[in-house]
């Protein structure tokens, strides 16, 4: 009976052995696949969580970076450029004051003792002619170049902040924003916007006066001039000025040639004496100034400089035409009658940035905006 009862079991096992083994194999493989899938899913969750944490950290640093860059822009717009423009205005008025010449002409109409000889009168008028155009074209050039230069500064600083972030070296520093601003030389670099008014303006005016003398030598006081001719004269003086600046020497009016020397000048200016302990760390400043010089010497910058100068010159002549009004005949007014109005044009050119329509016009030019966009994306290589 034992044999009879076991035979069917053996027969069943023999008949279904491979099916059962296959079922067990499939079940085992399924369990293993489930364990592998579960482990893989948990790994994906951990990776995604880590990525989210890294993205959150990146966003935090990017926000800090953006905040820092906006702070640099704000300092430039509200402090650096307004202060530089105010100082520039006072320096140009001081250097190119023609009131003493006009007073001399008025006094010369008095008694015999104060009367001017014909030659003295002609020389005085000739001096007024040259200084009137020198004053306005110097204001045109200085205002335009200063506004472009300050934006170059901000763009270069923004690029450096981005590179610091990309290298992962400045994230922690950005949290201490004010300390970073001073420590990295950014504040010292923005302060160079005052260099034109403090050190460069005298040499600029002398060069502009040479250019004005050359262009105006054939223009007589009695000669009539239309608004277009006044515009053309201003542009010719500007072009003559640039031609006198060999090897882009005009850049020296805007940017210090030597960072060490500039640092010493700043130390003396702040303390009243040459204290080496007050001299700033010039390594970063020198790098920023070198990059700035590369930008200013580029053909692309020269193009937007010329476009901006021409745009502002057109606006200036429109203002002059409005001042003169309908009194001007088609042939124009005698040059002598236009000189006082030409000299007055510098006031609007040197107005504070928030009220200066010429600065706002330069900022709104699409070509200028495109230049700074490409400058930010394709900064010259660091030296």
């Amino acid at each position: 009976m034992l044999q009879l009862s076991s035979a069917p079991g053996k027969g069943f096992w023999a008949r279904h052995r491979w099916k059962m083994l296959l079922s067990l194999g499939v079940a085992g493989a399924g369990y293993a696949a489930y364990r592998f899938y579960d482990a893989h899913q948990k790994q994906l969750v951990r990776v995604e969580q880590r990525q989210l944490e890294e993205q959150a950290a990146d966003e935090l640093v990017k926000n800090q970076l953006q905040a820092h860059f906006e702070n640099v822009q704000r300092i430039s717009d509200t402090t650096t450029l307004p202060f530089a423009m105010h100082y520039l205005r006072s320096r140009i008025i001081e250097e190119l004051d023609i009131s003493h010449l006009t007073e001399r002409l008025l006094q010369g109409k008095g008694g015999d003792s104060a009367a001017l000889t014909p030659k003295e009168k002609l020389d005085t008028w000739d001096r007024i002619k040259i200084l009137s155009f020198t004053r306005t074209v110097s204001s045109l050039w200085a205002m335009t170049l200063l506004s472009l230069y300050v934006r170059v500064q901000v763009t270069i600083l923004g690029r450096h902040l981005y590179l610091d972030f990309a290298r992962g070296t400045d994230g922690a520093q950005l949290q201490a924003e004010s300390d970073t601003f001073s420590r990295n030389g950014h504040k010292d670099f923005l302060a160079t916007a005052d260099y034109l008014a403090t050190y460069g303006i005298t040499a600029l005016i002398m060069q502009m006066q040479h250019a004005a003398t050359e262009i105006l030598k054939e223009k007589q006081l009695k000669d009539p001039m239309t608004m277009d001719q006044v515009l053309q004269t201003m542009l010719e003086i500007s072009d003559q000025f640039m031609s006198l600046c060999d090897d882009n020497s005009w850049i020296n009016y805007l940017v210090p040639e030597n960072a060490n020397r500039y640092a010493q000048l700043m130390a003396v200016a702040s303390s009243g004496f040459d204290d080496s302990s007050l001299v700033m760390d010039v390594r970063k400043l020198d790098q920023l100034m070198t990059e700035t010089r590369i930008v200013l010497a580029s053909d692309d910058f020269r193009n937007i400089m010329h476009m901006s100068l021409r745009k502002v010159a057109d606006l200036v002549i429109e203002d002059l035409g409005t001042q003169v009004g309908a009194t001007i005949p088609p042939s124009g007014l005698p040059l002598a009658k236009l000189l006082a109005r030409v000299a007055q044009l510098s006031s609007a050119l040197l107005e504070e940035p928030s009220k200066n329509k010429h600065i706002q016009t330069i900022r709104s030019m699409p070509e200028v905006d495109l230049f700074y966009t490409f400058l930010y994306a394709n900064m010259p290589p660091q030296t």
Side-chain angles (χ1 to χ4, degrees), residues 88-106:
L88 181 65
R89 179 189 179 98
S90 65
R91 289 299 309 278
I92 288 180
I93 291 174
E94 175 187 349
E95 296 268 353
L96 293 168
D97 180 22
I98 60 175
S99 60
H100 64 287
L101 295 174
T102 56
E103 289 173 3
R104 186 183 183 192
L105 287 176
L106 292 174

Side-chain angles (χ1 to χ4, degrees), residues 347-378:
S347 296
L349 285 166
L350 299 174
E351 199 169 15
E352 64 175 284
S354 63
K355 300 178 181 178
N356 195 316
K357 68 177 183 180
H358 305 103
I359 291 179
Q360 304 305 323
T361 297
I362 293 171
R363 288 179 174 177
S364 65
M365 291 174 62
E367 299 89 348
V368 172
D369 192 57
L370 185 62
F371 168 79
Y372 288 108
T373 299
F374 280 115
L375 176 61
Y376 183 84
N378 302 282

Side-chain angles (χ1 to χ4, degrees), residues 158-303:
R159 179 65 172 172
H160 274 264
L161 290 170
Y162 173 79
L163 292 175
D164 286 340
F165 165 73
R167 296 189 192 102
T169 59
D170 211 37
Q173 290 180 346
L174 286 172
Q175 296 180 16
E177 185 172 302
S178 61
D179 292 340
T180 303
F181 187 70
S182 297
R183 182 167 55 247
N184 283 2
H186 299 169
K187 187 175 182 180
D188 297 328
F189 179 51
L190 285 181
T192 62
D194 296 337
Y195 186 81
L196 172 62
T198 307
Y199 302 105
I201 192 62
T202 300
L204 184 154
I205 287 174
M206 289 179 61
Q207 193 82 304
M208 193 68 74
Q209 190 170 323
H210 289 319
T213 302
E214 179 65 24
I215 298 301
L216 294 169
K217 64 183 181 182
E218 301 298 333
K219 299 185 184 300
Q220 304 301 316
L221 293 168
K222 64 179 184 299
D223 293 342
M225 292 188 72
T226 65
M227 295 299 99
D228 286 342
Q229 289 172 326
V230 175
L231 171 62
Q232 189 60 35
T233 300
M234 291 172 56
L235 294 176
E236 288 176 1
I237 293 172
S238 179
D239 290 341
Q240 179 69 14
F241 167 79
M242 292 299 293
S243 69
L244 294 174
C245 298
D246 298 329
D247 299 324
N248 290 321
S249 60
W250 59 267
I251 296 175
N252 297 332
Y253 303 140
L254 288 167
V255 190
E257 291 186 76
N258 184 283
N260 285 291
R261 178 57 181 157
Y262 174 73
Q264 291 172 356
L265 290 172
M266 293 300 97
V268 172
S270 62
S271 65
F273 57 92
D274 191 357
D275 184 354
S276 59
S277 65
L278 295 174
V279 176
M280 62 188 72
D281 178 10
V282 298
R283 182 189 60 83
K284 187 70 170 183
L285 179 63
D286 183 62
Q287 179 186 5
L288 294 169
M289 285 167 46
T290 299
E291 292 181 14
T292 301
R293 284 180 165 274
I294 293 173
V295 172
L296 298 184
S298 68
D299 291 338
D300 289 337
F301 183 84
R302 183 179 284 267
N303 288 337

Side-chain angles (χ1 to χ4, degrees), residues 8-233:
K10 289 182 179 180
F12 177 82
W13 172 252
R15 289 193 304 271
H16 299 285
R17 179 178 60 177
W18 291 110
K19 292 181 181 180
M20 294 177 67
L21 290 174
L22 181 61
S23 298
L24 290 172
V26 170
Y31 179 72
Y34 167 76
R35 291 293 302 272
F36 176 79
Y37 174 78
D38 184 59
H40 181 65
Q41 286 297 106
K42 290 180 178 179
Q43 179 67 19
L44 288 177
V45 170
R46 286 194 294 269
V47 169
E48 290 176 356
Q49 185 176 0
R50 187 161 56 249
Q51 289 177 341
L52 289 175
E53 292 173 353
E54 290 175 353
Q55 289 176 1
D58 287 348
E59 286 299 320
L60 177 62
V61 176
K62 286 179 180 178
N63 289 337
Q64 293 170 347
L65 176 68
Q66 182 64 26
H68 187 77
F69 178 70
E70 289 174 355
N71 184 47
V72 173
Q73 180 73 66
R74 183 168 56 253
I75 291 172
S76 177
D77 289 342
T78 62
T79 304
T80 304
L81 184 57
F83 183 83
M85 284 294 298
H86 176 77
Y87 192 26
L88 181 65
R89 179 189 179 98
S90 65
R91 289 299 309 278
I92 288 180
I93 291 174
E94 175 187 349
E95 296 268 353
L96 293 168
D97 180 22
I98 60 175
S99 60
H100 64 287
L101 295 174
T102 56
E103 289 173 3
R104 186 183 183 192
L105 287 176
L106 292 174
Q107 291 174 357
K109 295 180 179 180
D112 293 340
S113 61
L116 297 176
T117 66
K119 183 179 185 310
E120 288 175 334
K121 185 176 181 180
L122 182 61
D123 289 344
T124 302
W125 270 109
D126 195 59
R127 186 77 176 145
I128 291 174
K129 175 183 69 174
I130 293 171
L131 291 184
S132 295
F133 276 92
T134 299
R135 176 169 169 164
T136 293
V137 182
S138 293
S139 300
L140 167 67
W141 195 93
M143 179 278 298
T144 301
L145 268 293
L146 180 60
S147 61
L148 293 173
Y149 170 66
V150 167
R151 192 167 172 188
V152 167
Q153 287 183 304
V154 173
T155 304
I156 288 177
L157 286 180
R159 179 65 172 172
H160 274 264
L161 290 170
Y162 173 79
L163 292 175
D164 286 340
F165 165 73
R167 296 189 192 102
T169 59
D170 211 37
Q173 290 180 346
L174 286 172
Q175 296 180 16
E177 185 172 302
S178 61
D179 292 340
T180 303
F181 187 70
S182 297
R183 182 167 55 247
N184 283 2
H186 299 169
K187 187 175 182 180
D188 297 328
F189 179 51
L190 285 181
T192 62
D194 296 337
Y195 186 81
L196 172 62
T198 307
Y199 302 105
I201 192 62
T202 300
L204 184 154
I205 287 174
M206 289 179 61
Q207 193 82 304
M208 193 68 74
Q209 190 170 323
H210 289 319
T213 302
E214 179 65 24
I215 298 301
L216 294 169
K217 64 183 181 182
E218 301 298 333
K219 299 185 184 300
Q220 304 301 316
L221 293 168
K222 64 179 184 299
D223 293 342
M225 292 188 72
T226 65
M227 295 299 99
D228 286 342
Q229 289 172 326
V230 175
L231 171 62
Q232 189 60 35
T233 300

Side-chain angles (χ1 to χ4, degrees), residues 325-349:
T327 60
I328 183 170
S331 60
L333 288 175
L335 176 57
K337 291 188 176 182
L338 289 171
L339 291 179
R341 295 184 183 276
V342 169
Q344 291 171 1
L345 294 173
S346 65
S347 296
L349 285 166

